[in-house]
C-alpha cells in the first residue's frame, strides 16, 4: 500500500499510471479522474488512501467505489459530453463529479439524506454546475427528467428494473450490477428500436440496491428533496 501526502501527485498517478494499467484508455475519462480530487469525497482520516485503487467506506454502510471499476463503467458508457445521464446512488458524490465532466446534465438520486447533503455540498464547493441531486428511492428513477441517454446504477440489483429501461432514450445505454447480495456482474443494456440488447461484463461487488424495485420490496419513507446547482 502506497500513501501520498501530496494529493496532486497522487491524483496524477491514479490517472496516468494506475487506471491505464487497469485497461482505462479513454482520454476523456482519464481527464475527469485527473481533474476531480477524490480525497475531498472521503473522510479526513482516509484522505491519505484516497488514490489507492480500492473502495473506501463513506458511512451509513456505503462505499466510494474502486476507481478502476468506475473508470471501466464510464469508458463503456462512451459519453460524448452532450448526454443527459441518470445516476442511481450518489453516495459520496465522486462519481457524480466525474460524470459532470463527461456529460451535459447529470441527475443523481441518493436514498440516504445525509449522504445526499454531503454530496451536494462537495459538488457545490467545486463549482460543478450541471448536476441535480434528489433524495429518494432510486429504483423509481427520475421520470420527469427522462428520457436519458445513459443510466448508471451504482448498487447491486437482483434484476433490471423495468422502470429504468422505460426512462432510457432509444439508443440509450445503461450500466447496472446484477446478481446476489455480495457479488454481481456488470450488465450493459442498450435500448434498440427492436428491443433490449444485453451484454455481460466483469464480476463486481457493490452494496445492495435498496428500494421498491431492488432488494427491499417496500416503499421507503424518505421525503424527496431536490437540489439543483446554478
Amino acid at each position: 500500500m502506497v500513501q501520498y501526502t501530496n494529493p496532486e501527485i497522487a491524483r496524477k498517478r491514479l490517472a496516468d499510471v494506475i487506471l491505464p494499467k487497469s485497461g482505462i484508455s479513454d482520454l476523456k475519462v482519464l481527464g475527469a479522474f485527473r481533474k476531480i480530487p477524490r480525497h475531498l469525497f472521503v473522510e479526513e482520516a482516509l484522505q491519505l488512501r484516497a488514490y489507492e485503487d480500492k473502495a473506501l467506506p463513506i458511512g451509513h454502510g456505503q462505499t466510494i467505489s474502486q476507481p478502476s471499476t468506475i473508470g471501466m463503467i464510464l469508458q463503456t458508457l462512451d459519453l460524448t459530453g452532450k448526454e443527459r445521464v441518470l445516476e442511481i446512488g450518489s453516495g459520496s458524490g465522486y462519481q457524480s463529479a466525474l460524470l459532470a465532466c463527461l456529460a451535459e446534465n447529470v441527475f443523481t438520486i441518493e436514498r440516504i439524506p445525509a449522504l445526499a447533503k454531503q454530496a451536494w455540498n462537495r459538488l457545490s464547493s467545486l463549482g460543478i454546475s450541471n448536476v441535480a441531486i434528489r433524495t429518494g428511492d432510486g429504483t423509481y428513477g427520475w421520470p420527469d427528467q427522462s428520457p436519458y441517454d445513459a443510466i448508471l446504477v451504482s448498487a447491486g440489483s437482483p434484476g433490471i428494473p423495468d422502470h429504468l429501461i422505460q426512462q432510457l432514450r432509444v439508443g440509450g445505454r445503461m450500466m447496472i450490477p446484477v446478481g446476489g447480495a455480495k457479488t454481481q456482474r456488470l450488465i450493459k443494456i442498450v435500448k434498440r428500436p427492436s428491443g433490449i440488447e444485453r451484454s455481460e461484463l466483469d464480476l463486481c461487488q457493490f452494496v445492495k440496491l435498496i428500494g421498491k424495485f431492488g432488494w427491499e420490496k417496500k416503499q421507503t419513507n424518505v421525503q424527496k428533496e431536490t437540489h439543483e446547482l446554478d
Side-chain angles (χ1 to χ4, degrees):
M1 179 178 66
V2 180
Q3 293 182 342
Y4 287 84
T5 56
N6 186 323
E8 299 296 330
I9 293 175
R11 187 160 78 247
K12 188 173 187 299
R13 182 176 182 273
L14 175 66
D16 295 352
V17 179
I18 296 175
L19 293 178
K21 284 184 177 180
S22 300
I24 312 304
S25 58
D26 187 302
L27 296 180
K28 299 188 299 297
V29 172
L30 294 173
F33 277 96
R34 199 173 290 115
K35 180 178 180 180
I36 300 300
R38 190 175 190 246
H39 68 282
L40 298 183
F41 291 83
V42 299
E43 295 179 2
E44 187 175 354
L46 294 173
Q47 288 188 352
L48 289 179
R49 299 183 57 194
Y51 297 101
E52 298 175 15
D53 190 23
K54 293 182 179 179
L56 296 172
I58 58 173
H60 305 275
Q62 307 299 299
T63 61
I64 182 172
S65 295
Q66 186 175 354
S68 59
T69 300
I70 299 176
M72 187 271 289
I73 292 171
L74 296 177
Q75 180 167 274
T76 302
L77 283 175
D78 192 24
L79 300 171
T80 67
K82 299 179 180 179
E83 293 88 356
R84 291 171 68 83
V85 177
L86 174 64
E87 178 191 36
I88 309 299
S90 316
S92 69
Y94 179 62
Q95 186 172 259
S96 310
L98 293 170
L99 284 167
C101 297
L102 300 169
E104 185 170 353
N105 296 107
V106 179
F107 300 87
T108 182
I109 307 172
E110 172 55 52
R111 69 180 179 87
I112 301 172
L115 290 181
K117 184 176 181 180
Q118 286 180 344
W120 164 257
N121 289 337
R122 289 163 175 158
L123 294 169
S124 182
S125 70
L126 290 172
I128 293 173
S129 60
N130 59 336
V131 177
I133 300 178
R134 170 176 286 182
T135 305
D137 184 346
T139 64
Y140 283 98
W142 196 329
D144 55 328
Q145 294 292 342
S146 65
Y148 300 100
D149 301 290
I151 297 176
L152 198 170
V153 181
S154 299
S157 176
I160 300 171
D162 289 338
H163 286 73
L164 299 183
I165 292 177
Q166 292 169 10
Q167 293 172 43
L168 266 182
R169 189 187 306 278
V170 173
R173 52 268 191 213
M174 176 166 67
M175 296 288 287
I176 179 171
V178 177
K182 294 184 178 180
T183 304
Q184 308 90 32
R185 185 173 293 277
L186 275 169
I187 305 295
K188 180 182 179 181
I189 300 291
V190 181
K191 190 173 185 178
R192 303 293 188 191
S194 58
I196 300 303
E197 178 184 296
R198 168 178 170 154
S199 54
E200 296 188 358
L201 304 175
D202 294 345
L203 289 172
C204 56
Q205 291 182 313
F206 282 82
V207 296
K208 287 183 177 181
L209 178 66
I210 304 296
K212 175 71 172 179
F213 304 102
W215 279 99
E216 290 187 355
K217 306 298 184 182
K218 61 182 181 180
Q219 287 274 12
T220 60
N221 293 321
V222 177
Q223 182 179 359
K224 288 184 179 178
E225 181 179 351
T226 302
H227 301 284
E228 295 185 7
L229 291 170
D230 299 322

